[in-house]
Amino acid sequence: MTRPELLAPAGDWDCARAAIANGADAIYFGLETGFNARARAKNFTLDDLPRLMEMLHWHGVRGYTTVNTLVFSDELATIEPIIRQIAEAGTDAVLVQDLGLVGLIRRTAPELPIHASTQMTLTSAECIAEIEQTGIERVVLARELSVDEIAKIHEKTKMPLEAFVHGALCVAYSGQCLTSESLGGRSANRGQCAQACRLPYELICDGADIDLGDQKYLLSPQDLAAFALVPDLVKAGVMSLKIEGRLKTPEYVANITRHYRQAIDAAMAGKPVTFTPRQIEEMELSFSRGFSPGWLRGCDHKMLVPATSSAKRGVLVAELVAVDDRRKRVKLELFGRLKAGDGIVFQGNRAAGQEQGGRVFTVSQNGRRVTGEATSGIVEVDFPRGSVDFQYLVPGLKVWKSDDPALTRELRKSFSGELHGRDLPLTIEAAAQVGKPLRIVVKGEALGQFEFETEQALEEARKHALTEATLTEQFSRLGGTGYALEKLTAKIAGQPMVPLSLLGKLRKEMVARLDEARQQMATRGRTIEHDLVLSQMQAEVEPPRVEPDPAQLIVLTRSLHQLEAVLNAGVGIVYADFQDIRQYKEAVPLTHEFQAKIFLVTPRIQKPGEMGIFKALAKHGADGYVVRNLSGLKFFTELGQPCVADFSFNAANELTVDWLRQHGAVRITPSYDLNRDQMLVMARHGAAHLLEPVIHQHMPMFHMEHCVFCSVLSPGTDKTNCGRPCDEHEVQLRDRVGAEHPLKADVGCRNTLFNKTPQSGAEIVQPMIELGVRNFRVELLYDDPPAEIARVVDLYRQLLQGSVAGEEVWRELNAMNRVGVTRGTLEHDRDPLAII
């Protein structure tokens, strides 16, 4: 097996030091300048970069800068010089989400390696094939892939693959979550995720509330912990194992990096990767919502989301036996370790503010205070005054240890003071022959190759001839130098003799030469031309043109009922996005009877083994396709079919729009992360006639591999045994403010949670028409009465004809819809960068 890279997160300097000290091969980090998917981390400044890279490179660690958010048109001029500075500082690679930005980086800094972020939602070899020509050198795979699926991808691509092995799991596909944007103007595609998946939800099935008991956190997965799967992942073709956590503490980075270093080293030595209960407990104490293999062993929806909590709790150590409210003391039955100073939390309703916890002041057992750790039996525990509200404590509650100060101190020692990273491995080849100088060839990781020779020829030994064992012993004496002998081979002819003093001198000379090379490596950078590339690229994109044709209305339908109502309303182009794709057999001829055109919509995700869905869609004789992933775009353009690239491509600037045009898209739906002003700027800078904005819709918030239907409405665990409750029931999730958001499943059994309230962009239509936009989309969700559907269609048709103003459409929609309507992401002064 090829040794994989261990990639650790670094939200600040201490985290970077913790990663180095505990065995990371590389770190990834963001900048304060923005454009990184963890804007709430401390991050680094551009001025920090040269010093950071020097520290990393001296210790043989690579550094990858995250530029993994969408970039709006009016920000391209800002990010271009940032890319230059990143490249000049010697950064080893950048992680990127935005397809347009990939092209800008490649032209601005041709030698800077680019890694496709998991935000790019690459889930198959077919998707990866579409970005290979962009110069991307590595792909960070979606977390939702299993080990078997990763292996299938590796079989069909030469692209180096990176996968997450530890940390928090998003319930939605990265790059496809619009919840924070939809509900609060905080875009996950801009690094401002509000973590709505960690909030409580109530389930409504067919109009009735379902009592799920303690299961409130229906969208909050357990954390990923795949240490036991390291050998399988390496065998499957993963070359970089990634730890999540740029918002975590340096102690977390130290702890998790150290354990995965051990796991990788054991796997490479052919040993089983097994951790003791204490080692697992140590990892859980740094951060844990409960450990799981995530999706790596395939889907098990019940295991992935137990739904009883969403917070860090740590290690289950006890059960509450009795409460002494007068003495402010509790009795616990221990089945884990506990000592004074540890932090604990009691089971409780966190959402209602009833979850209690605090720092243990004393632990007593059998009437005596325990000075060390108590490990079993009944103990009495008290707390500092006022830290615990005892009214919420009742016997039977579970107790978790959430913090261990002694462990925290131990972890902090690893990166405090003088920094000692992993010794750089050396391989040495020696050649010794009587009558010739001793020749030593040294190869160091990322340092190159060096040759040394003795000044004089070797004499024949009278007593102790040179052996490979002697050479190995002498060149292994590298303690404190920052190097370690990994392997030495020797070709010895005859019986040469070499004094030990001479070998010591050679060893010192070798270390000096290596240090010199190491310093050069640490301070290496790149020389970047400072020509303005952006203006050249903008001049190359297809220019905007104002078509003489009138603006046309396109309506997306999600059922035959909606389709028939829309066709009867006289719509000439319709899209069909049905859960049951067998119904397309009826939908296509029905549309053609009305002399209208119909485009079928692909699923948003395509995994290994799912190309058959595209083939099934292609059989129905549709007039075109709305594609939502790269493999679908490739498949249908090769068939010569018109393709609309949908919102899931996250086209947020004219460079991305032009990339999609060059790859076959006849129209492109702008990213839902754009507000009104940003969309207008993009239309001015690019080919406005190619744009197809959605001006009425229920925002698709979460798009998930996780199936809530299976998790709570079925005895099964995955789509093979769930019984498909999604076909039988209408489900909504009620959030904390009482909004009931509809949940739908697609043909791949992936769930989408839609915003209850529709949003209208009616007020943006006229300025978009003036810029040359001619295609506008309305999306339906509910099977409303045909007359109501026809009224919505007629309002937008009049708007496009100029018969009514956008504000009038907005007001009437607001009045006719029982939950109202919002301007949503197309609010005039909405700022997706705002933290609210």
Side-chain angles (χ1 to χ4, degrees), residues 566-582:
V566 166
L567 292 172
N568 281 316
V571 175
I573 301 179
V574 295
Y575 295 165
D577 184 14
F578 295 178
Q579 177 178 335
D580 186 351
I581 65 174
R582 293 172 297 183

Side-chain angles (χ1 to χ4, degrees), residues 229-271:
L229 295 175
V230 165
D232 297 332
L233 284 163
V234 177
K235 194 178 299 182
V238 177
M239 54 78 64
S240 179
L241 302 177
K242 187 172 194 172
I243 298 167
E244 180 275 340
R246 282 192 286 141
L247 292 172
K248 303 291 199 325
T249 66
E251 290 81 8
Y252 165 92
V253 175
N255 191 348
I256 306 305
T257 303
R258 174 188 300 180
H259 282 91
Y260 278 87
R261 178 79 273 150
Q262 294 171 9
I264 291 172
D265 290 347
M268 291 301 101
K271 300 176 182 176

Side-chain angles (χ1 to χ4, degrees), residues 371-482:
T371 56
E373 285 186 330
T375 59
S376 63
I378 303 295
V379 297
E380 289 187 316
V381 173
D382 59 6
F383 305 90
R385 186 185 300 272
S387 62
V388 174
D389 190 341
F390 284 80
Q391 68 172 315
Y392 295 118
L393 301 186
V394 294
L397 294 182
K398 295 176 181 177
V399 183
W400 283 265
K401 181 163 72 171
S402 57
D403 181 51
D404 184 336
L407 175 63
T408 299
R409 287 193 296 271
E410 178 199 340
L411 293 168
R412 178 157 281 276
K413 284 180 183 178
S414 71
F415 57 89
S416 299
E418 186 178 352
L419 184 61
H420 296 286
R422 185 167 56 93
D423 291 339
L424 300 188
L426 304 177
T427 60
I428 295 178
E429 297 175 0
Q433 183 176 344
V434 175
K436 292 185 177 181
L438 171 64
R439 183 169 175 267
I440 301 291
V441 178
V442 182
K443 297 177 183 177
E445 186 178 282
L447 296 175
Q449 178 174 301
F450 306 90
E451 296 185 12
F452 305 88
E453 284 190 352
T454 55
E455 294 179 359
Q456 297 179 348
L458 301 182
E459 297 180 3
E460 188 167 357
R462 297 172 185 171
K463 289 187 178 180
H464 303 293
L466 182 67
T467 65
E468 185 173 282
T470 301
L471 287 168
T472 299
E473 179 188 356
Q474 291 298 311
F475 283 98
S476 294
R477 296 181 176 182
L478 296 170
T481 64

Side-chain angles (χ1 to χ4, degrees), residues 456-690:
Q456 297 179 348
L458 301 182
E459 297 180 3
E460 188 167 357
R462 297 172 185 171
K463 289 187 178 180
H464 303 293
L466 182 67
T467 65
E468 185 173 282
T470 301
L471 287 168
T472 299
E473 179 188 356
Q474 291 298 311
F475 283 98
S476 294
R477 296 181 176 182
L478 296 170
T481 64
Y483 307 99
L485 180 63
E486 186 174 67
K487 183 180 180 183
L488 183 145
T489 57
K491 293 181 179 179
I492 301 174
Q495 296 286 313
M497 182 272 292
V498 182
L500 296 182
S501 59
L502 182 57
L503 293 178
K505 180 181 177 183
L506 275 178
R507 186 176 64 247
K508 290 179 181 177
E509 182 183 347
M510 177 187 75
V511 170
R513 287 276 299 277
L514 288 169
D515 282 349
E516 183 181 333
R518 195 169 180 174
Q519 186 60 44
Q520 292 176 356
M521 176 188 70
T523 55
R524 72 179 185 268
R526 299 180 184 86
T527 302
I528 304 296
E529 298 294 332
H530 279 249
D531 296 333
L532 290 178
V533 171
L534 175 61
S535 56
Q536 298 170 13
M537 294 184 69
Q538 288 173 326
E540 295 168 5
V541 303
E542 181 167 326
R545 63 175 185 262
V546 178
E547 302 283 358
D549 300 329
Q552 66 177 348
L553 182 67
I554 302 165
V555 181
L556 182 144
T557 63
R558 291 189 165 91
S559 70
L560 285 168
H561 169 86
Q562 296 172 16
L563 177 64
E564 189 168 357
V566 166
L567 292 172
N568 281 316
V571 175
I573 301 179
V574 295
Y575 295 165
D577 184 14
F578 295 178
Q579 177 178 335
D580 186 351
I581 65 174
R582 293 172 297 183
Q583 293 180 335
Y584 293 150
K585 185 177 181 180
E586 184 178 350
V588 173
L590 174 65
T591 304
H592 290 161
E593 286 177 16
F594 280 82
Q595 303 301 308
K597 292 183 178 180
I598 181 169
F599 283 47
L600 303 183
V601 182
T602 74
R604 234 194 282 188
I605 301 299
Q606 178 261 320
K607 280 185 165 187
E610 295 181 352
M611 290 297 289
I613 294 175
F614 297 153
K615 295 174 183 177
L617 296 182
K619 292 177 181 178
H620 292 292
D623 301 287
Y625 297 86
V626 181
V627 294
R628 289 178 171 166
N629 52 62
L630 288 168
S631 53
L633 180 61
K634 176 74 168 179
F635 180 87
F636 288 108
T637 53
E638 286 187 343
L639 292 180
Q641 295 293 324
C643 288
V644 176
D646 210 3
F647 71 95
S648 50
F649 286 96
N650 290 317
N653 58 67
E654 63 271 21
L655 301 184
T656 303
V657 168
D658 201 60
W659 190 93
L660 291 166
R661 176 191 65 81
Q662 291 179 40
H663 284 75
V666 297
R667 291 191 299 275
I668 295 95
T669 299
S671 166
Y672 291 164
D673 289 282
L674 296 169
N675 65 25
R676 168 195 168 114
D677 298 330
Q678 291 156 345
M679 191 179 296
L680 291 171
V681 170
M682 185 172 77
R684 290 190 191 102
H685 281 85
H689 60 284
L690 295 176

Side-chain angles (χ1 to χ4, degrees), residues 47-94:
D47 291 338
D48 287 334
L49 266 182
R51 184 161 61 97
L52 174 63
M53 296 312 302
E54 181 175 354
M55 178 181 77
L56 292 170
H57 289 160
W58 172 261
H59 291 285
V61 175
R62 295 174 288 280
Y64 307 142
T65 305
T66 58
V67 194
N68 57 340
T69 64
L70 302 184
V71 182
F72 301 142
S73 292
D74 57 358
E75 296 171 333
L76 290 170
T78 300
I79 201 169
E80 184 180 8
I82 293 174
I83 294 301
R84 285 198 183 89
Q85 287 184 259
I86 291 172
E88 289 171 340
T91 301
D92 295 289
V94 286

